[in-house]
Amino acid sequence: MAGDRRAIGRLSGSAGEARARARQDADERRAAPNILNPNEVRGDYDAGRLLMTTLGGQVRPITADDLAMFRHNARMAGQRFKGGITARQVVDMSLFDDRKRARRQITTAVPTAGRGLRGSNGQVSSLEVRFITNAGPDSDVSRHHVTVEFTGYQTAIASGAESPQRAAARLRKEGVRFDCDCGRHRYWFRYIATIGRYNAGRPETGYPKIRNPKLNGVACKHVLRVMAEIEGGSAVQAFLARAIAKGRQSEDGAGHIRQRQQEAERLAEKQARRPRGGPSSTGDRDYDRARRALRRQSRATTTKPKRTASGSKRMQALGATPGARDKLVEAARQLGLTPEQAVAILQGGKR
Ligand SMILES: [Zn+2]
């Protein structure tokens, strides 16, 4: 896919494509039968619903203790993200595996359009920028849509003493809200984003009881690549400076701007040409900074891949060959299960 223009595709029609995917997402959500709603997490839960969780490593019906743990996890997530989140924190607080996938699989992240968003008082308060990234190797689509809102925009357009470039440099270090149309964001992370109040798309109030009951992680590989470009890429810096200059011109700060197709393709090709492994410095300053951002060791919130080893051992105990074991671990990972949970399901099936 690297170097493939189709990874970005046509920009005209991309907003319509993003809207169509959002509509499909909302329809699927409405039709989903097994959502654990907030009032149920609070305790108003009928055990007869027999909803399942993977908390503790096995797939089993939800108990009152689980609900207490979900309430605790949600409270901790709310506290963790009090005061918003910055591009750097999104990278720092994300899981090792998500950062690795972003580094290896997502080669392009291009801003395509920006517009000022109005707050409840009718004033423009934040800047919404739409990004397109390529999709990973196992995806059934060729690109993903990531939306980022910059919450410092109002200040940036109001402080006319500062050049648009300086205001943009500050803007990208300030608060963001975000959304991605991929499954990982929708099913693992959107609930956490909603609780942390940094979701840019539709809120998700259904607790991720199967995929992510411990509420680990923050962002998918597409969002992570976008955040790395926000932190380190000169193209995003230039785009934000343009949006700020436009916002200052127009009386109400609306400041719609678009990326030209040709410019987007030039940027995508430049990004895709960058080497993905190799020496620590490639000579491409933007890229080196973006990659450093993704490499940075995250804090204690990160789950280390130690689980894989113990899961592997347990699969060995089940009598799986090393090849079969690797496949199981990979299949489990794609389903969002830990190897322990996969083993639990397999053992359950034997009984
Ligand atoms: Zn994504």
Side-chain angles (χ1 to χ4, degrees), residues 172 227-234 285-287 289-290:
R172 56 186 193 163
M227 292 302 159
E229 294 297 330
I230 288 173
E231 235 201 321
S234 61
R285 259 173 53 211
D286 297 341
Y287 175 62
R289 268 187 302 191

Side-chain angles (χ1 to χ4, degrees), residues 112-164:
T112 63
R115 62 180 180 136
L117 291 184
R118 289 173 199 289
S120 49
N121 59 0
Q123 300 243 331
V124 167
S125 61
S126 62
L127 175 72
E128 177 196 80
V129 178
R130 290 194 290 109
F131 288 84
I132 291 179
T133 77
N134 67 295
D138 305 320
S139 181
D140 53 359
V141 293
S142 66
R143 61 182 182 178
H144 282 287
H145 300 274
V146 174
T147 307
V148 179
E149 289 174 26
F150 294 85
T151 59
Y153 182 60
Q154 193 177 29
T155 316
I157 52 173
S159 60
E162 222 173 18
S163 70

Side-chain angles (χ1 to χ4, degrees), residues 25-104:
D25 166 67
D27 288 348
E28 285 173 14
R29 174 63 170 78
R30 258 194 301 279
N34 295 326
I35 302 291
L36 181 66
N37 292 308
N39 61 322
E40 294 177 310
V41 173
R42 280 195 293 272
D44 188 11
Y45 175 68
D46 173 5
R49 279 193 78 194
L50 281 178
L51 295 181
M52 310 297 263
T53 182
T54 56
L55 195 65
Q58 297 191 11
V59 182
R60 52 172 182 72
I62 285 172
T63 66
D65 285 349
D66 294 329
L67 296 175
M69 186 51 81
F70 294 166
R71 286 195 291 274
H72 171 78
N73 291 345
R75 210 164 36 240
M76 297 309 281
Q79 281 168 15
R80 191 149 58 112
F81 300 113
K82 220 181 219 166
I85 193 164
T86 63
R88 169 161 294 189
Q89 285 172 323
V90 174
V91 174
D92 278 351
M93 296 164 93
S94 279
L95 301 177
F96 175 84
D97 280 351
D98 288 315
R99 288 206 310 268
K100 193 163 89 181
R101 286 185 205 120
R103 224 165 47 229
R104 295 197 176 162

Side-chain angles (χ1 to χ4, degrees), residues 52 57-60 314 318 339-351:
M52 310 297 263
Q58 297 191 11
V59 182
R60 52 172 182 72
R314 292 184 63 176
L318 275 179
E340 286 84 352
Q341 290 166 346
V343 168
I345 293 169
L346 285 173
Q347 282 173 334
K350 277 186 172 178
R351 269 181 220 128

